[in-house]
Structure formats: C-alpha cells, structure tokens
C-alpha cells in the first residue's frame, strides 16, 4: 500500500497543518531516537512525505536513517490530541529546498496559533521550533503504514486506505 491510497487529500492536509511533529528512527540494534521537526511537505502525487528538522539536533536520527531507512513520524494536533503515525522503510536524508527555509517562519507562527488556546506563550513556541535556515535538513520517505494514535479505544489501530483516523 503506497501513498495515494494511504495518504488521501484530507490526511495530506492534516499532516501539513502546522502540527506537533516528531520523527523517530532506529539504529540497526533497534535503539530508537527522536527529533522534533519544524515543518512538513507532501509531494504533489502524495507518494512522499518530507520532514524538516535542525541538522544540529538530529544527528542520531540521521545516522539511523543512513543505516536502515526506517522511520516513524507522529503528527499531533495539540488542541484535540488527534494523532496520526506514518511509517516508512525508504527514508533518505536530503538537502532542504529554498522554499523549505522560507516556510520556517510561517510554520512557527501557525504552530504558535495552534498552542495559543492552551496558553502556551508564543515566544516559547517559536523557540521550541526555531531553526536557522543553514541548519535545516530534510528527510523524505514513502508512507507504507498509517496508524490512528489519538488517545482512546481506537489508538494504535492501523488505518485502511482513505481512512482519516479522526
């Protein structure tokens, strides 16, 4: 099962909507490591998802990706706890595009707006998701599995193609 069926337009819009983003990878011994991401984009054909992160904070994750290409990404909407997890096995580290650097400030502003109703101060949010453009790196992968991870009785359930997980 690959992305157009797995990642329908509604899910693609959800994961690119200024959410809390964490990307995890494992080394070949199975030791997991995680990095907070500062943006997400989806290819026009919805077959690839690209996460953006500070290279300076992602060394163990990038090493795991170089070793085996396996990733899991969690996309969380803090106000509702709606959470989606995507998994892939072909992740690769890529140079960030100029438009990725241009998207850093809009992502930070959008994420701050999402957290404002929860009384999280905007300067804190902007610091949490800050990244110098020259430190930005991208990780791209093909989503092969999707899971609903929103807390509750359906958490952990694998999603079928076209299912939103909401």
């Amino acid at each position: 099962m690959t992305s157009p069926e797995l990642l329908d337009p509604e899910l693609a819009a959800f994961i690119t909507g200024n959410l809390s983003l964490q990307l995890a990878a494992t080394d070949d011994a199975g030791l997991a490591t995680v990095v907070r991401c500062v943006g997400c984009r989806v290819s026009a054909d919805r077959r690839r998802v690209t996460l953006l992160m500070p290279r300076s904070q992602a060394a163990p994750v990038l090493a795991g990706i170089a070793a085996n290409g396996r990733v899991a990404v969690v996309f969380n909407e803090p106000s509702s706890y709606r959470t989606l997890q995507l998994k892939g096995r072909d992740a690769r580290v890529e140079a960030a595009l100029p438009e990725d650097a241009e998207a850093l400030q809009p992502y930070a502003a959008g994420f701050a707006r999402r957290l404002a109703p929860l009384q999280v101060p905007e300067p804190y949010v902007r610091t949490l998701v800050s990244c110098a453009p020259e430190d930005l790196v991208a990780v791209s992968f093909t989503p092969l599995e999707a899971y609903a991870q929103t807390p509750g009785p359906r958490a952990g359930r694998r999603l079928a193609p076209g299912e939103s997980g909401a």
Side-chain angles (χ1 to χ4, degrees):
M1 167 170 24
T2 58
S3 293
E5 300 81 28
L6 182 65
L7 200 59
D8 65 17
E10 191 245 329
L11 280 181
F14 175 71
I15 70 173
T16 57
N18 300 321
L19 303 174
S20 177
L21 311 165
Q22 290 85 34
L23 181 136
T26 62
D27 63 17
D28 283 332
L31 181 63
T33 184
V34 176
V35 66
R36 176 174 290 282
C37 299
V38 296
C40 175
R41 63 179 150 84
V42 175
S43 64
D45 65 3
R46 299 187 319 274
R47 291 185 184 277
R48 300 282 295 173
V49 172
T50 302
L51 281 299
L52 308 170
M53 67 214 65
R55 182 182 294 276
S56 60
Q57 297 175 18
V61 168
L62 300 177
I65 290 166
N68 57 49
R70 294 187 309 254
V71 293
V73 185
V74 175
F75 304 85
N76 172 263
E77 181 179 59
S79 62
S80 69
Y81 299 107
R82 179 180 176 195
T83 306
L84 173 74
Q85 181 184 61
L86 297 178
K87 292 185 179 186
R89 294 188 294 271
D90 67 348
R92 62 179 182 248
V93 178
E94 301 173 345
L97 303 174
E99 54 264 33
D100 294 332
E102 293 168 10
L104 289 172
Q105 289 305 317
Y107 168 77
F111 191 48
R113 279 191 302 276
R114 280 197 177 274
L115 292 175
L118 302 174
Q119 300 180 353
V120 180
E122 184 175 346
Y124 173 81
V125 177
R126 286 184 177 272
T127 300
L128 181 67
V129 296
S130 68
C131 179
E134 62 274 8
D135 193 28
L136 192 62
V137 66
V139 170
S140 175
F141 73 101
T142 305
L144 297 177
E145 300 172 40
Y147 295 87
Q149 295 293 5
T150 304
R154 297 169 40 131
R157 186 176 56 81
R158 188 170 180 169
L159 298 177
E163 245 187 305
S164 71

